[in-house]
């Protein structure tokens, strides 16, 4: 099973700041990686798939990069609605999720 | 618009079974695979398996393969997930999630169904 490790567990930032979230895979997943956003009491929302492709309707301030074992989700300027938990997910070998990064208001 | 509407919350005793439904609308049901993902309280996401609503073929995560069955009813555009031999660790919100065109990512999600296992 491919293990995805997300860091940091919690990111405390202010609106307008840049957020950089990391996801590291225990073995290469090529670019078969997605990012989801989840707010309390809601289902996750797909932001990015295939490492860097933004889903329809997702603002341009969200971007994904990486390949192999190291991936990054960047939010260039945090809006109030961006404070949430973010999960990465790989589909290279079965499907697994990372443990999540909580982006909280500082 | 695409909608996935799940059945309501359930409370079950250890050893029992639960069957959760997910009714799809707003798209051609048989054209998109459906997944089931669960989330224990305060925890992360866990993939359980996938069903092809066209032919009914399934693939289950190793952890669940002996206890889960996913089925479909194309006449009502509904998929089902049954989990047997429930234990307290199965307490979670269970989501159905549509596959984004056989890519094994999830573009639309149901609202979730809370299953509580308690004696």
């Amino acid at each position: 099973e491919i293990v995805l490790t997300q860091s940091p567990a919690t990111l405390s930032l202010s609106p307008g700041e840049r957020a950089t979230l990391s996801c590291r895979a225990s073995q290469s997943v090529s670019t078969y990686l997605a990012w989801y956003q989840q707010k309390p009491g809601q289902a996750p929302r797909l932001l990015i798939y295939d490492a860097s492709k933004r889903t329809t309707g997702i603002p341009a301030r969200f971007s994904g990069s990486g390949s192999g074992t190291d991936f990054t989700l960047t939010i260039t300027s945090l809006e109030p609605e961006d404070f949430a938990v973010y999960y990465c997910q790989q589909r290279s070998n079965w499907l697994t999720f990372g443990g999540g990064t909580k982006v909280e208001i500082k | 618009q695409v909608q996935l509407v799940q059945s309501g919350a359930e409370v079950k005793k250890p050893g029992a079974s639960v069957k959760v439904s997910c009714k799809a609308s707003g798209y051609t049901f048989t054209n998109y695979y459906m997944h089931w993902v669960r989330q224990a309280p305060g925890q992360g996401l866990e993939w359980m398996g996938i069903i092809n609503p066209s032919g009914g073929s399934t693939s289950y995560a190793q952890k669940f393969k002996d206890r889960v069955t996913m089925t479909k009813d194309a006449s009502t555009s509904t998929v089902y997930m049954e989990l047997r031999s429930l234990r307290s660790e199965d307490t979670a919100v269970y989501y159905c999630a549509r596959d984004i065109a056989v890519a094994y990512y999830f573009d639309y999600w149901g609202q979730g169904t809370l299953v509580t296992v308690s004696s």
Side-chain angles (χ1 to χ4, degrees):
Chain A
E1 175 180 301
I2 295 177
V3 177
L4 298 179
T5 302
Q6 292 189 241
S7 61
T10 304
L11 198 52
S12 299
L13 295 168
S14 300
E17 289 193 294
R18 181 185 188 92
T20 303
L21 287 66
S22 173
C23 177
R24 177 163 291 176
S26 59
Q27 63 190 77
S28 176
V29 298
S30 185
T31 57
Y32 297 132
L33 190 108
W35 290 93
Y36 297 84
Q37 176 194 69
Q38 188 178 33
K39 297 179 180 178
Q42 296 184 15
R45 177 172 70 144
L46 178 64
L47 302 174
I48 302 285
Y49 64 98
D50 284 347
S52 61
K53 298 175 182 176
R54 219 170 18 249
T55 305
T56 302
I58 300 303
R61 64 181 181 273
F62 290 91
S63 65
S65 63
S67 66
T69 61
D70 290 298
F71 299 86
T72 300
L73 174 70
T74 301
I75 312 171
T76 51
S77 179
L78 283 163
E79 296 288 339
E81 62 267 27
D82 298 336
F83 291 91
V85 179
Y86 293 83
Y87 294 97
C88 56
Q89 174 239 324
Q90 66 82 21
R91 51 138 287 191
S92 174
N93 186 337
W94 293 91
L95 285 80
T96 53
F97 290 89
T101 290
K102 181 180 182 180
V103 179
E104 65 175 23
I105 299 176
K106 187 174 182 180
Chain B
Q1 74 284 18
V2 174
Q3 280 194 304
L4 303 176
V5 179
Q6 298 184 221
S7 50
E10 304 260 14
V11 179
K12 296 291 182 181
K13 294 195 182 302
S17 298
V18 68
K19 191 170 187 177
V20 180
S21 67
C22 170
K23 183 174 176 60
S25 62
Y27 70 97
T28 302
F29 175 70
T30 51
N31 284 0
Y32 294 83
Y33 290 8
M34 196 76 79
H35 301 258
W36 288 90
V37 176
R38 77 177 187 179
Q39 186 170 36
Q43 303 300 309
L45 301 164
E46 184 174 32
W47 180 74
M48 300 180 69
I50 182 174
I51 181 167
N52 178 350
S54 178
S57 60
T58 56
S59 182
Y60 304 134
Q62 186 74 15
K63 176 177 179 177
F64 300 104
K65 69 180 183 64
D66 294 331
R67 295 198 295 137
V68 73
T69 302
M70 297 176 188
T71 55
K72 55 88 177 178
D73 181 345
S75 69
T76 59
S77 299
T78 303
V79 295
Y80 300 89
M81 186 283 299
E82 181 180 34
L83 188 62
R84 301 176 292 279
S85 302
L86 290 167
R87 33 218 192 216
S88 58
E89 312 88 88
D90 294 318
T91 294
V93 175
Y94 289 76
Y95 293 102
C96 58
R98 196 185 77 162
D99 192 294
I100 183 173
V102 200
Y104 291 78
Y105 304 122
F106 320 115
D107 61 351
Y108 287 93
W109 296 65
Q111 83 276 19
T113 296
L114 175 62
V115 176
T116 303
V117 183
S118 174
S119 54

